[in-house]
């Protein structure tokens, strides 16, 4: 009996993302072997491969059979929960792998774990990639954005596959070799941080339009549909329009109004803010979105606070602010405020990547990162093409805010942006993301800040010294003695 032909690649871990990615690979014409510890998942994937067009996918029930079914040099993608499960899966598979074979972790892993595993793999003669995968189950099945980092040789082994499997945009597939070490995971983490900021800003735009503008869900759906045909065109704006259209099957009105206002999270946003702090990079929009998720979790406390502060005499200001509102102008102002705030959020993410890239010598290509985010991923947006061009014009751009094109746009939109934030503040509606973006912009663009006073205070109580604007050197002053000296 003739042995079955070997697969081109393998995939272990058949939860939703794993199944969809495996079917995507098979559909692009690459025979793939799949394996999962729970055998029912293997059967489920085999059924789907059969039903979705007799796709070239074979199922395996032991790590050994799975590994041996793949042609050499073998490449195996693992899609299991980050942390210990990844190490256990690597152990099980590596026992049957040979020098020159490659392991690719497609999970949302902490980048230092990937760097540890690269070294462990090298000790066994294996190659390793940590590959960020964005786009959810839909992206995994039809074309995700892929961010592989680690061994360049390993990337070249799977380049033909990932370039076909990734989302396709007019300037190529949404995948590129990111860089050494854990850079692929780090870039995916920052992508998720930017995503947190984006979602927060959209929810604030909704809050202002709904509560200050008095707009119905039907009107909101129309506005977001319209925005998705202009400069804000993006996956998140598109899905938001769809959300407003869904009716509640258990009662009156739309489903969105029945959803509990408590946000969940998996941790990548928190890691982004922690890394920003570690690297001394300001990322206030992303941090504000994280804080909002924490506060949203305090539902009972917030209900108590609303009651106690109302009893203490706090009046609801929304109604009085709303009475004099020009709806059409408010809608346009909110669009501009959302756009300007978004630029700040992306600028913070890119600056964080730049700081990490220079710390680790990853040599990240920011224009190329913007390009691979144009399709397949959650933050895909038309204006990423403009970010790509900004970095092509100047690869050493200090911030998106000082790219000549974006600078013009910020200046044109700042009046509308300030009106929206001012209106929200006077109505008592929190817009932490928009406020964080605006204060970031206002701090960054000022040639002189009140930090001189802070330095004086630090020198007074801790003799930390200060520098002067008019002469070289470090100075220390006996402030209290001089201030209280009798004339």
């Amino acid at each position: 009996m003739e042995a079955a032909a070997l697969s081109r690649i393998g995939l272990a871990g058949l939860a939703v993302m794993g199944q969809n990615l495996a079917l995507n690979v098979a559909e692009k014409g690459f025979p793939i072997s799949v394996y999962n510890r729970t055998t029912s998942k293997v059967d489920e994937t085999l059924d789907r491969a059969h039903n979705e067009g007799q796709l070239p996918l074979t199922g395996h029930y032991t790590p050994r059979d799975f590994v041996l079914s793949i042609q050499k040099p073998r490449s195996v993608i693992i899609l299991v929960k980050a942390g210990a499960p990844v190490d256990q899966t690597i152990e099980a598979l590596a026992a049957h792998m040979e020098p020159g074979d490659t392991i690719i972790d497609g999970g949302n892993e902490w980048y230092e774990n990937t760097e540890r595993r690269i070294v462990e793999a090298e000790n066994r003669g294996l190659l390793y990639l940590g590959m960020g995968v964005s786009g959810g189950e839909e992206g995994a099945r039809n074309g995700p954005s892929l961010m592989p980092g680690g061994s360049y040789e390993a990337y070249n082994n799977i380049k033909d596959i990932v370039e076909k499997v990734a989302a396709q945009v007019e300037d190529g597939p949404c995948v590129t070799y990111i860089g050494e070490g854990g850079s692929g995971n780090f870039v995916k983490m920052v992508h998720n941080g930017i995503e947190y900021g984006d979602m927060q800003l959209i929810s604030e735009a909704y809050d202002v339009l709904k509560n200050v503008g008095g707009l119905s869900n039907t009107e909101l759906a129309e506005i977001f549909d319209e925005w998705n045909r202009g400069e804000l065109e993006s996956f998140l704006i598109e899905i938001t329009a769809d959300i407003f259209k869904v009716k509640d099957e258990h009662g009156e009105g739309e489903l969105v109004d029945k959803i509990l206002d408590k946000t969940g999270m998996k941790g990548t946003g928190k890691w982004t803010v922690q890394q920003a702090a570690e690297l001394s990079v300001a990322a206030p929009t992303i941090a504000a979105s994280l804080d909002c998720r924490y506060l949203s979790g305090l539902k009972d406390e917030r209900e108590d606070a609303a009651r106690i502060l109302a009893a203490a005499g706090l009046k609801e200001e929304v109604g009085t602010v709303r009475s004099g509102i020009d709806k059409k102008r408010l809608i346009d102002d909110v669009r501009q405020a959302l756009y300007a705030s978004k630029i700040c959020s992306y600028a913070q993410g890119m600056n964080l990547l730049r700081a990490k890239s220079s710390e680790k010598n990853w040599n990240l290509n920011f224009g190329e990162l913007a390009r691979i985010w144009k399709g397949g991923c959650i933050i895909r947006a038309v204006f990423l093409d403009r970010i790509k061009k900004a970095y092509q014009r100047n690869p050493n751009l200090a911030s998106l805010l000082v790219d000549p094109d974006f600078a013009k746009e910020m200046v044109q939109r700042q009046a509308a942006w300030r009106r929206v934030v001012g209106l929200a503040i006077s109505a008592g509606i929190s817009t932490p993301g928009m406020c964080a973006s605006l204060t970031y912009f206002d701090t960054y663009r000022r040639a002189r800040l009140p930090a001189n006073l802070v330095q004086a205070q630090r020198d007074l109580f801790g003799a930390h010294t200060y520098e002067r604007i008019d002469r070289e050197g470090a100075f220390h002053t006996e402030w209290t003695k001089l201030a209280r000296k009798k004339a």
Side-chain angles (χ1 to χ4, degrees), residues 223-254:
I223 287 158
F224 275 82
D225 270 334
E226 189 185 323
W227 285 357
N228 197 44
R229 291 192 287 274
E231 63 188 12
L232 286 170
E233 185 189 323
S234 60
F235 173 68
L236 286 168
I237 295 287
E238 180 190 352
I239 65 167
T240 303
D242 287 342
I243 287 168
F244 292 127
K245 296 171 191 166
V246 175
K247 299 264 178 262
D248 178 21
E249 48 183 4
H250 301 293
E252 293 294 301
E254 286 77 29

Side-chain angles (χ1 to χ4, degrees), residues 156-474:
N156 280 331
N157 289 343
I158 58 159
K159 189 172 183 238
D160 59 329
I161 303 179
V162 289
E163 286 187 346
K164 285 264 187 350
V165 162
Q168 307 292 319
V169 289
E170 77 285 350
D171 46 10
C174 292
V175 59
T176 189
Y177 174 68
I178 301 288
E180 301 279 315
S183 59
N185 297 107
F186 195 90
V187 166
K188 172 62 164 65
M189 175 198 83
V190 173
H191 161 287
N192 288 22
I194 294 171
E195 179 188 306
Y196 272 52
D198 247 357
M199 292 168 75
Q200 176 63 28
L201 293 168
I202 292 169
S203 75
E204 292 171 18
Y206 154 66
D207 200 4
V208 171
L209 291 174
K210 178 185 172 182
N211 291 306
V212 183
L215 274 67
S216 69
N217 288 327
T218 309
E219 290 173 304
L220 286 164
E222 280 167 20
I223 287 158
F224 275 82
D225 270 334
E226 189 185 323
W227 285 357
N228 197 44
R229 291 192 287 274
E231 63 188 12
L232 286 170
E233 185 189 323
S234 60
F235 173 68
L236 286 168
I237 295 287
E238 180 190 352
I239 65 167
T240 303
D242 287 342
I243 287 168
F244 292 127
K245 296 171 191 166
V246 175
K247 299 264 178 262
D248 178 21
E249 48 183 4
H250 301 293
E252 293 294 301
E254 286 77 29
L255 179 58
V256 69
D257 296 324
K258 308 284 171 35
I259 295 176
L260 182 67
D261 50 321
K262 276 172 80 163
T263 313
M265 67 194 98
K266 289 276 174 67
T268 42
K270 179 169 101 177
W271 291 348
T272 305
V273 174
Q274 285 172 329
Q275 276 297 298
E278 289 282 331
L279 292 158
S280 309
V281 172
T285 312
I286 300 172
S289 66
L290 185 67
D291 286 339
C292 264
R293 292 195 180 194
Y294 295 147
L295 286 166
S296 77
L298 307 176
K299 177 70 171 168
D300 296 344
E301 283 183 43
R302 287 186 289 114
E303 286 179 339
D304 288 345
R307 202 180 59 247
I308 291 162
L309 290 164
L314 185 72
K315 301 224 175 354
E316 202 43 271
E317 297 296 339
V318 171
T320 50
V321 172
R322 186 192 289 176
S323 56
I325 279 299
D326 171 348
K327 253 192 197 184
K328 210 168 154 48
R329 179 170 168 196
L330 177 68
I331 292 164
D332 196 58
D333 278 356
V334 170
R335 175 183 59 79
Q336 296 186 62
L338 178 54
Y339 186 80
S341 299
K342 232 169 118 79
I343 293 173
C344 290
S345 186
Y346 283 71
Q348 291 160 28
M350 288 303 193
N351 287 355
L352 175 52
L353 288 171
R354 196 182 64 216
K356 195 67 178 182
S357 183
S358 63
E359 182 198 68
K360 306 285 285 184
N361 291 320
W362 282 337
N363 217 351
L364 297 180
N365 178 334
F366 308 110
E368 189 61 355
L369 296 184
R371 187 191 69 75
I372 66 166
W373 289 343
K374 280 166 56 178
C377 73
I378 304 301
I379 64 172
R380 62 182 181 265
V382 160
F383 92 138
L384 278 158
D385 195 54
R386 315 250 318 287
I387 294 180
K388 180 192 86 170
K389 292 190 171 111
Y391 283 107
Q392 282 175 337
R393 280 192 291 274
N394 179 4
N396 300 314
L397 187 64
S399 168
L400 287 176
L401 305 184
V402 294
D403 169 73
D405 279 18
F406 281 124
K408 250 198 243 70
E409 297 199 321
M410 299 299 279
V411 172
Q412 287 162 356
R413 286 163 181 72
Q414 61 155 352
W417 194 8
R418 292 179 199 287
R419 281 195 296 271
V420 171
V421 168
L423 196 66
I425 288 172
S426 52
I429 285 178
S430 56
T431 50
M434 286 184 185
C435 286
S437 283
L438 182 55
T439 49
Y440 178 74
F441 173 71
D442 280 339
T443 308
Y444 187 67
R445 69 180 176 79
R446 288 183 66 194
R448 186 157 170 87
L449 290 170
N452 52 321
L453 180 60
V454 176
Q455 281 300 82
Q457 292 169 334
R458 293 179 70 239
D459 188 50
L460 184 151
F461 65 66
H464 291 295
T465 74
Y466 56 89
E467 293 174 90
R468 291 180 60 110
I469 53 177
D470 55 356
R471 55 188 63 183
E472 290 292 305

